[in-house]
Amino acid sequence: MKYISTRGDAQPRSFSEILLAGLAPDGGLYLPVSYPQLDAATLERWRGMRYAEVACELLSMYIDDIPPADLRDLVERTYTVEAFGDERITPLQPLDEGVYLEQLSNGPTLAFKDMAMQLLGNLFEYELGRRGETLNVLGATSGDTGSAAEYALRGKRGINVFMLSPAGRMSPFQQAQMFSLLDPNIHNLVVDGVFDDCQDLVKAVSNDLAFKRRHRIGTVNSINWARLLAQVVYYVVGYLQAARRVGDPVSFAVPSGNFGNICAGHVARMMGLPIRRLVLATNENNVLEEFFRTGTYRVRSGAETHETSSPSMDISKASNFERFVYDVVGRDPARTRELFVAGVERERRFSFDEADRAEVERFGIVAGTSTHADRLATIRDTWERFGRVIDTHTADGLYVARRHVEPGVPMIVLETALAAKFSATVVEAIGIEPPRPPRLAGLEALPRRFEALPRDVEALKRLIAARDEPATADVGTR
Ligand SMILES: *Cc1c(COP(=O)(O)O)cnc(C)c1O
């Protein structure tokens, strides 16, 4: 399988080549040249398989430059009961008739990002080892992404992680989670500023191409194709659990921010998985809901981006959206470039006409928004009727899902975090502390390791250079 850029200028590349890359050199996103198809016989065969086995089968449709035995070993080491707390890895929990929660948040950091990031950590370590290279992963986080990345990359050979976070802005739980990691390859850098300041520092370093090349700077953000691919697996596994017979339609509801999670659902659907609806749920930051309602995609300014009680969905633009648009416009790279360069990058928007919008309809996505009050009511209702405590993001998903339930079509709501991670709002809704997995008792009392970083690009570069350990001794740092 080869991978091409949505903007058409990049050479087709193999999986291993794009694994460690971010954007394609032309500024587009990588996608496979075509989507392999899942027929009924294949799905039937996968039905009796464990999660890791399905993952292996699916990944090998897209990865042909890692020997099958190595890939199997990587996948089996990733999706274990020890890491995910249940043999089924992503069990479905029924709520009312035909509505299910798919539990994606039982991994190390209690959010669905572990599903992909844990695999990415093993893939990175494998690929770097094979090449005899090292990598410095640089990122900015306001919570979930940073911790998922750190828990996936801690202790990995050849990888350093430099994670910037805004001082005092993450929840106490998230801070404790990240800062209690004492692995020498994890560097928590706390910036006196807001998330955007952290992101600006990361961008400034990445824009220094000489520095980036010399110190082998990489990222693990949600545009990474391997992350997206890993997420396709739980759509298939969720489907196989909920569908009575292979071939029956099932819908998924997805709490959405950067369009990464739901893009994996889109890929599953393009592969022929019988998905009737992909229900896209946003919070008050409704960039995506607005697009599906009006045909206009309009990027927000910082001032227009709300701080909500489902903070991992607080986005001003959706970084994976270009992948979906590329498929909608018939995989036309020139058209995609026009929409995202002349449109999004210059005008901060584009609008689809009637014909384009009719085309969008064919992809099965319906969208809705949810507010703080909706989240509280949904958390309360789910607790009162089912004795189940859900988190604020999952509440956004369930709230919007309820308006799109159809008779005879199972609705699977993706649980993207556990309530324990966002306990303040949960307490506001139901008056009790959400349950926390026993292994995380006393997390806040553990010793912490982090360092203050001034808002200064040069200081950040110095710090990275000082800790960079090239595998080959030919680079004089600084
Ligand atoms: C990251 C995240 C989301 C949004 O996922 P996208 O892939 O960005 O759409 C939703 N909920 C939680 C809890 C998250 O951490």
Side-chain angles (χ1 to χ4, degrees), residues 206-224:
S206 304
N207 288 341
D208 181 344
L209 294 181
F211 183 90
K212 193 177 168 190
R213 202 168 310 119
R214 182 183 204 184
H215 294 292
R216 304 162 318 284
I217 305 293
T219 59
V220 289
N221 52 27
S222 77
I223 60 161
N224 182 289

Side-chain angles (χ1 to χ4, degrees), residues 112-113 144 255-261 312-313 393 416-417:
F112 88 99
K113 292 190 172 68
D144 285 349
S256 292
N258 272 317
F259 205 84
N261 195 353
S312 300
M313 294 158 59
H393 307 76
T416 55

